[in-house]
Amino acid sequence: MGTYYRVTMVLDPALQKDVDHTDTQLQTEIDKKLELVNDQMSTYRPDSELSRFNKAQASLTVSPETAYVVQASLTLFEQSQGAFDVTVGPLVNLWGFGPDKKPTKVPSTEVIQSRQKFVGSQYLSIRGNTLYKTIPELYVDLSSIAKGYGVDVVAEYLQEIGINNYLVDIGGELRAKGKKPGNKQWTLAIERPSAGQNVQRLIQVGDNSIATSGDYRNYYEYDGIRYSHTIDPKTGKPINHKLVSVTVIHESSMMADALATAITVLGPEDGFVFAEKNNLAVFLIVKQGDEFVEHVSAEFKPYLIEEK
């Protein structure tokens, strides 16, 4: 996944003595599970299920896990009216944010339009565990949802082996359950989207997941113009609105991850309307001049720690 993972857990005295719950044994099992996710859904591994589907002309039967993540992607594509689209990879690569290198010049309108012909989840479907595409060039990239899915895989494994107090973190996608030692809640921070590691707000998410999407880390500048890594499938270009950070709390890390991306593409107004319509716990940071303005959905407010 091109990033780190960190698992913090609290073991009761009985589990601390169990040979199956040593740090070494737990890390071995977690590594195996994350390796499997990569073997299924990585675009960087040429023999992964997803890479083999991308090379296929029309269809490929995949694991139930890959089918599950693709189905969730298609559902959100419909719900977001195309804002969340896992086939946007050719455009991401064109703008220099995928496996390809940074472009030496801004793509022309003609080049963008030629790539857009091969983008659109309406060309992707699933029946059982078989993925189908109606155009051979269709390229699926699950990087905006699979990392969150990986968090869920690790969290659910911990619960299976009796660990019910944990914090799983894969590249900033987090899922928490239970309490820290001393019966204290896990306290997390929303980063302020400016220079330095400043805290915008502190939150306690309970037994939930949290994901943040923003353009303040992954971007480049060309001829004095800043280009975000988030591509709007409808325009074929990087987003250029003033929504700089989206934080979503959801019981599923996979959905928190994907929803944060969808709302980022939708922008500050449409994104907030989408969040409220779907009763989502969402925290937006919008740049207005030199200031950062917060927009908080009603569902998100209970998780905020009020400053004293």
Side-chain angles (χ1 to χ4, degrees):
M1 299 177 190
T3 190
Y4 69 90
Y5 81 80
R6 181 184 297 115
V7 180
T8 309
M9 63 197 91
V10 184
L11 305 187
D12 63 38
L15 291 182
Q16 289 178 34
K17 298 173 185 175
D18 187 342
V19 293
D20 291 332
H21 289 76
T22 63
D23 289 352
T24 303
Q25 182 62 26
L26 289 169
Q27 183 167 358
T28 298
E29 292 303 315
I30 289 169
D31 285 347
K32 284 181 188 174
K33 292 184 180 299
L34 292 178
E35 279 297 310
L36 178 58
V37 175
N38 274 311
D39 285 340
Q40 292 165 335
M41 305 177 207
S42 172
T43 54
Y44 290 85
R45 294 189 178 182
D47 57 347
S48 73
E49 290 181 358
L50 197 62
S51 291
R52 286 188 284 121
F53 174 68
N54 286 336
K55 293 170 191 169
Q57 288 295 301
S59 66
L60 184 75
T61 299
V62 297
S63 63
E65 293 83 6
T66 300
Y68 168 73
V69 175
V70 171
Q71 184 58 64
S73 303
L74 290 174
T75 300
L76 186 53
F77 172 76
E78 295 289 340
Q79 289 176 340
S80 66
Q81 297 183 314
F84 183 82
D85 192 337
V86 292
T87 73
V88 79
L91 292 168
V92 174
N93 291 342
L94 179 65
W95 286 93
F97 293 105
D100 299 348
K101 301 292 185 183
K102 173 182 168 182
T104 55
K105 61 181 181 180
V106 172
S108 67
T109 300
E110 291 75 23
V111 171
I112 292 170
Q113 288 175 345
S114 70
R115 289 283 180 104
Q116 280 186 297
K117 292 176 184 176
F118 308 129
V119 171
S121 286
Q122 66 270 24
Y123 304 122
L124 174 66
S125 62
I126 182 167
R127 291 194 293 279
N129 292 328
T130 302
L131 308 183
Y132 296 88
K133 52 183 168 179
T134 55
I135 51 175
E137 299 87 354
L138 197 72
Y139 176 93
V140 177
D141 183 342
L142 298 174
S143 58
S144 56
I145 189 169
K147 190 165 60 168
Y149 170 76
V151 173
D152 289 332
V153 167
V154 175
E156 283 154 22
Y157 162 67
L158 295 177
Q159 288 170 215
E160 284 171 12
I161 61 171
I163 298 174
N164 293 304
N165 298 283
Y166 60 75
L167 179 65
V168 178
D169 174 4
I170 301 182
E173 314 292 349
L174 299 143
R175 179 163 155 175
K177 183 174 174 61
K179 301 285 180 65
K180 296 191 293 184
N183 204 35
K184 294 180 180 177
Q185 285 205 48
W186 302 102
T187 300
L188 308 173
I190 298 174
E191 189 177 73
R192 182 172 292 140
S194 57
Q197 296 293 311
N198 299 317
V199 173
Q200 181 78 23
R201 287 294 196 106
L202 293 175
I203 53 174
Q204 291 177 333
V205 299
D207 293 351
N208 279 304
S209 301
I210 182 168
T212 297
S213 175
D215 73 346
Y216 55 95
R217 279 186 181 164
N218 195 356
Y219 66 91
Y220 65 82
E221 291 190 2
Y222 188 87
D223 283 348
I225 299 173
R226 177 166 156 160
Y227 294 96
S228 166
H229 76 288
T230 303
I231 308 297
D232 185 339
K234 292 177 182 173
T235 65
K237 300 177 181 179
I239 56 172
N240 63 357
H241 50 63
K242 299 297 184 182
L243 177 54
V244 294
S245 175
V246 176
T247 299
V248 177
I249 295 174
H250 196 281
E251 61 183 3
S252 158
S253 184
M254 178 185 74
M255 290 310 302
D257 189 6
L259 285 164
T261 299
I263 292 168
T264 298
V265 173
L266 285 167
E269 292 85 13
D270 290 346
F272 200 71
V273 169
F274 173 80
E276 292 204 309
K277 178 184 174 185
N278 291 283
N279 300 312
L280 300 174
V282 169
F283 182 96
L284 310 184
I285 302 178
V286 181
K287 192 165 191 210
Q288 292 186 358
D290 294 330
E291 300 294 318
F292 292 112
V293 179
E294 299 176 353
H295 297 270
V296 188
S297 72
E299 285 76 14
F300 196 97
K301 288 178 181 176
Y303 300 108
L304 289 167
I305 297 175
E306 292 302 323
E307 297 173 4
K308 296 179 181 177

